[in-house]
Every structure is written in C-alpha cells, then in structure tokens.
Amino acid sequence: MTLRARHAIECAEVIVGYDTYLELIRDLLPGKTTIGTGMMQEVDRCQAAVEQAMDGKQVAVISSGDPGVYGMAGLVLELVAKYPLPVQPEVSVVPGISAVGAAASILGAPLMHDFAVISLSDLLTPWEVIQKRVEMAAAGDFVIAIYNPKSTRRTTQIETVREIVLQHRGAETPVGIVQHASRPKEKMTISTLDKFTSEHIDMFSLVIIGNSQTYVVDGKMVTPRGYQL
Amino acid sequence: MTLRARHAIECAEVIVGYDTYLELIRDLLPGKTTIGTGMMQEVDRCQAAVEQAMDGKQVAVISSGDPGVYGMAGLVLELVAKYPLPVQPEVSVVPGISAVGAAASILGAPLMHDFAVISLSDLLTPWEVIQKRVEMAAAGDFVIAIYNPKSTRRTTQIETVREIVLQHRGAETPVGIVQHASRPKEKMTISTLDKFTSEHIDMFSLVIIGNSQTYVVDGKMVTPRGYQL
C-alpha cells in the first residue's frame, strides 16, 4: 500500500469495497462506515459509493492491486458522469501496485521490456477479441501477462493461449505463475511454455509468459533490456 | 511510495541511484552512504550496488516508477548472477507505482481493459522490433502506453506510431499525454489520435492511446470494461 492510499483511507468517512478487501485493511476501519458487498456486485458497490459522495461524505472505494488496471476506477468515473457536472463529487484515482507488477517482482524481473496485459475473462469481452489480442501479442514478441487465466468454469482458454504462443516462441520460453501475490498465501512457480498449463492455475493466479529473450537464472525470471554486461 | 519501499530504504546502509532520484528522497538519506551517478550510467551504478552488497552492506537501489518495469531490477539480477550462487547477495525487488499506472490515474481510467506497454527508445532495441510491436498492438485493439515517446534527438518515431494506429482506429480516438506524473511539475493533456503529436511531448512524457471503445467524459479518459450501467 502506498502512503497516499493509506492517507486517502484515513481521511475517508465511508469505505466501500469487496468484503475480502475490507477484511485486509481491518486495522484502518475503526470509526468509519463501511459498505461491503460480495464479488460480481461491482456496479451496486460503486453506485453506493457515488451516492454517499453525493450526500457530501468523503468516500474511499478500495480495490486490490491498481484500481486503474481492470479495477473500479473506470466504473466510478462512469457512474459519477451520470450526474450533471456542477453537482458531481470530485474523484481522485490513487494508483496502486498492480497485480502484474507485484507478480513480476516475485518472479524476478520479467517486465524489463515491452509487455502486453490481457485478461482471459470472457464475462464482459467476446472470446474472439481476447484470442486476437493473444495472437497479436505473441506475434509482436511481447512479454505477455495474463489476468484471470482460469476459473472453475473456464478452463480451456489458457490451453489456447499456450498453443498460440507456441507458434511464435520456443517450447523452453520461461513462464511464471504467481498466486496470491503479496498476500500470506503467496506462491510462485517458474515453468516453460510447453508445460506450464500442467501447473496449478486458478482465479487467484497471474501468468507471465516471457518474450524470446527471457531466461531463468538462479531461480529468477529475467527479460534482458539489452545492456552490454 | 509504498510503505514497503520506505521501510527498505530506512533499513539500508547504502542508497544507490540516479542523482535526481536521490534528491527526491533527501529526507530519508541522513546517516546513510549514497552512491549517485548521472543518466546513462546504469550498469556502473548497479555494479557499484552489487559490490557494496558483496561487502556485506545492506543496499537499496532506487528507481522512479516500478523498478520492475524498464527499471533497474533486471540489471541488478543479471549482475548478481555473475557471482557463484553460494556467495550471491540476496535480492528483493520491491514493486512500485509504474509510470504507466501513475499517468493513467491522472488521465482518468484508460487502463480498464487490455493494454500494451511499448518503449520507443531505440538505444537498446532495433526500431524494426519496436515498429512491429506498435503494429501488433494497434491491430489487437490494445490500449497502447508509450514510454520514451520522444527526445531531442529522436523525434520521428511518435509520428510513425500515429500513422500506424490511424490505420486501425478512428481519428477521434482519445490520446492522453502526461508529463512528470506525480511530481510537482505534473501536467496532463487529452488530445485525439489525429492531432496529439502537435502537443508538447518530451522524454518526461508518457503517452496513452485509447482503444476503439475509449472515450472522454468530463475531462477524464475512460476505457469501459463493459459493465451494463
């Protein structure tokens, strides 16, 4: 957590967030009103936050990772924009450590060069669009970071990703998998492009596929920037 | 700055970094040894840090943004790996707020969907590789974040980026430009794909080109995730 994020929470009268995330900042909550909801209730939760702010309250919507990367920042801005500009509450987006940045730091330094970030969740995006992005990222030799790689319901997409990237990169290309980055249950695995889908991957995992130059040294995944050493 | 980064600096005996960044954390430096160097001396600076650590010192290499995104983390790991594993100093990468995350938060919420991060610096990467990546990112309808868009010496590449992306997206696609993100001289501009290169862009700028769905509302750049509102 950044000093700025902690300050924003400390200054707020109302804290809105997914129940699990409220639990993670329990120490900061005494004396504050909290509005917690379960997963998949993003619109209701952000709408409640906007209504509290319209009532004149200082409100913090909390999010894990960076609220500006697949997070709640966009939804809050879209909901606020439904009110006329003169009465809109002011919104500040406080950037955070993104899940991809946290996962990269645990694996070593895989993001030293150009990278693409893709979510495999097809709840709000057609699979054809996602697959095209995987193809383009693979063809462009981007390091590829995958959010939402697999869920109980959705298991085949990560296999398709593996097949697409194998058409462009060697079987031995390093692939890192991080679960619960920066949380007590944090776990990391470094595998290879041909084998990584046999590792445990779930909705708490972030997968980083190296580019053609990425290598593993002493258990760390490194994408060289190109310095002469 | 995160609480963890501040703690790492507080615990270190030796702080190594580009002079300008040492100046930004002056308040944390009393009582510590500092090793500062100018730009373009990345290898010397990281080598000095590794040698201090080999001497048994607790060392922090500081970096602006996220040291794991085009930062010093990879170089430190590569230099440490030149020593035999049993005598290597232990390295922890402390993730930070990436420049792209900071810039996005200032513009609104442009990174709510899949994005590609590309540096236009051709000092260590052939221009053909960079151009191919721009083409693939444009074809995949990624939001595109551009590091090192332009320097005094290198001025034409951002024009080529504009031409490539215009082959795939409308002239009115929003483009955000942020200078000195999270610093006192911070400045942001929101323009359009056809016109953004006439805005001031320099080596302190980060450029974010929206995808086909990105729009501007009340002065904020938003890429919708796809929620029904």
Side-chain angles (χ1 to χ4, degrees):
Chain A
M1 187 184 293
T2 62
L3 297 160
R4 183 176 163 204
R6 191 164 77 171
H7 183 70
I9 293 169
E10 285 168 351
C11 293
E13 301 157 82
V14 181
I15 313 289
V16 180
Y18 172 42
D19 289 328
T20 306
Y21 302 156
L22 287 174
E23 183 59 27
L24 289 170
I25 58 159
R26 194 172 24 177
D27 295 351
L28 298 174
L29 299 180
K32 299 183 189 298
T33 305
T34 58
I35 301 178
T37 62
M39 286 273 282
M40 315 284 282
Q41 295 174 278
E42 291 89 351
V43 178
D44 291 349
R45 195 190 308 148
C46 292
Q47 182 61 38
V50 171
E51 284 166 13
Q52 290 285 322
M54 289 294 292
D55 279 351
K57 300 275 184 14
Q58 183 87 356
V59 182
V61 178
I62 61 163
S63 193
S64 79
D66 187 336
V69 175
Y70 304 111
M72 293 297 109
L75 194 47
V76 170
L77 289 172
E78 290 191 90
L79 291 168
V80 163
K82 290 182 173 289
Y83 295 87
L85 196 50
V87 302
Q88 278 180 22
E90 191 186 334
V91 180
S92 294
V93 180
V94 179
I97 303 296
S98 60
V100 60
S105 73
I106 294 160
L107 293 166
L111 304 183
M112 288 295 105
H113 218 304
D114 305 333
F115 62 99
V117 180
I118 303 172
S119 167
L120 297 194
S121 173
D122 57 1
L123 284 176
L124 301 170
T125 307
W127 172 245
E128 296 67 40
V129 172
I130 301 170
Q131 181 167 331
K132 171 92 183 278
R133 286 182 180 153
V134 174
E135 287 165 359
M136 296 298 102
D141 197 27
F142 284 95
V143 175
I144 304 175
I146 307 277
Y147 276 65
N148 306 308
K150 199 173 173 179
S151 69
T152 318
R153 178 189 67 79
R154 190 168 46 70
T155 58
T156 61
Q157 285 84 346
I158 192 72
E159 296 291 348
T160 306
V161 169
R162 173 183 166 276
E163 286 159 24
I164 292 169
V165 185
L166 271 172
Q167 290 167 26
H168 297 271
R169 294 179 207 174
E172 297 301 311
T173 303
V175 177
I177 303 164
V178 178
Q179 270 107 31
H180 302 283
S182 307
R183 300 266 170 79
K185 288 193 282 180
E186 176 180 300
K187 182 172 173 290
M188 76 93 141
T189 308
I190 296 179
S191 181
T192 56
L193 185 54
D194 57 343
K195 299 208 178 75
F196 80 97
T197 54
S198 62
E199 301 289 339
H200 178 73
I201 300 176
D202 59 21
M203 64 182 289
F204 301 104
S205 308
L206 200 134
V207 174
I208 298 183
I209 303 173
N211 72 11
S212 60
Q213 308 300 308
T214 305
Y215 64 95
V216 177
V217 61
D218 301 333
K220 303 279 188 181
M221 186 173 166
V222 177
T223 302
R225 184 80 189 274
Y227 293 108
Q228 293 294 324
L229 304 183
Chain B
M1 187 184 293
T2 62
L3 297 161
R4 184 177 162 202
R6 191 165 77 171
H7 183 71
I9 292 168
E10 285 169 350
C11 293
E13 301 156 80
V14 181
I15 313 289
V16 180
Y18 172 42
D19 289 330
T20 307
Y21 301 155
L22 287 173
E23 183 60 28
L24 289 170
I25 58 159
R26 195 172 24 177
D27 296 350
L28 297 174
L29 300 181
K32 298 183 191 297
T33 306
T34 59
I35 301 178
T37 62
M39 285 275 281
M40 315 285 282
Q41 296 173 278
E42 291 89 350
V43 178
D44 291 349
R45 195 190 307 147
C46 291
Q47 182 62 37
V50 171
E51 284 165 12
Q52 291 283 323
M54 287 294 290
D55 279 351
K57 301 275 185 14
Q58 184 87 355
V59 182
V61 178
I62 61 163
S63 192
S64 79
D66 187 336
V69 175
Y70 303 111
M72 294 296 110
L75 194 46
V76 170
L77 288 173
E78 290 191 90
L79 291 169
V80 162
K82 290 182 173 288
Y83 296 86
L85 195 51
V87 302
Q88 279 179 22
E90 192 186 334
V91 179
S92 294
V93 180
V94 179
I97 303 297
S98 60
V100 60
S105 73
I106 294 159
L107 293 167
L111 304 182
M112 288 296 105
H113 218 304
D114 305 331
F115 61 99
V117 180
I118 303 173
S119 167
L120 297 194
S121 172
D122 56 3
L123 285 176
L124 300 171
T125 307
W127 171 245
E128 296 68 36
V129 172
I130 301 169
Q131 181 165 331
K132 171 89 183 278
R133 286 183 180 151
V134 173
E135 286 164 359
M136 296 298 102
D141 198 27
F142 284 95
V143 176
I144 304 175
I146 307 278
Y147 277 65
N148 305 307
K150 198 172 175 180
S151 69
T152 319
R153 176 189 70 79
R154 190 167 46 70
T155 58
T156 61
Q157 284 84 346
I158 192 73
E159 296 291 350
T160 306
V161 168
R162 174 183 165 276
E163 287 159 25
I164 292 169
V165 185
L166 272 172
Q167 290 166 26
H168 298 270
R169 293 179 207 174
E172 298 301 312
T173 303
V175 177
I177 303 165
V178 178
Q179 270 108 29
H180 302 283
S182 308
R183 300 267 169 78
K185 288 193 283 180
E186 176 180 300
K187 180 172 175 288
M188 77 92 142
T189 309
I190 296 179
S191 180
T192 56
L193 185 54
D194 58 341
K195 300 208 177 73
F196 81 98
T197 54
S198 61
E199 300 289 339
H200 178 73
I201 300 176
D202 59 21
M203 64 182 290
F204 301 104
S205 308
L206 200 135
V207 174
I208 298 182
I209 303 173
N211 71 11
S212 60
Q213 308 301 307
T214 305
Y215 64 96
V216 177
V217 60
D218 301 333
K220 304 277 188 182
M221 185 172 166
V222 176
T223 302
R225 183 80 188 275
Y227 293 108
Q228 293 295 324
L229 304 182

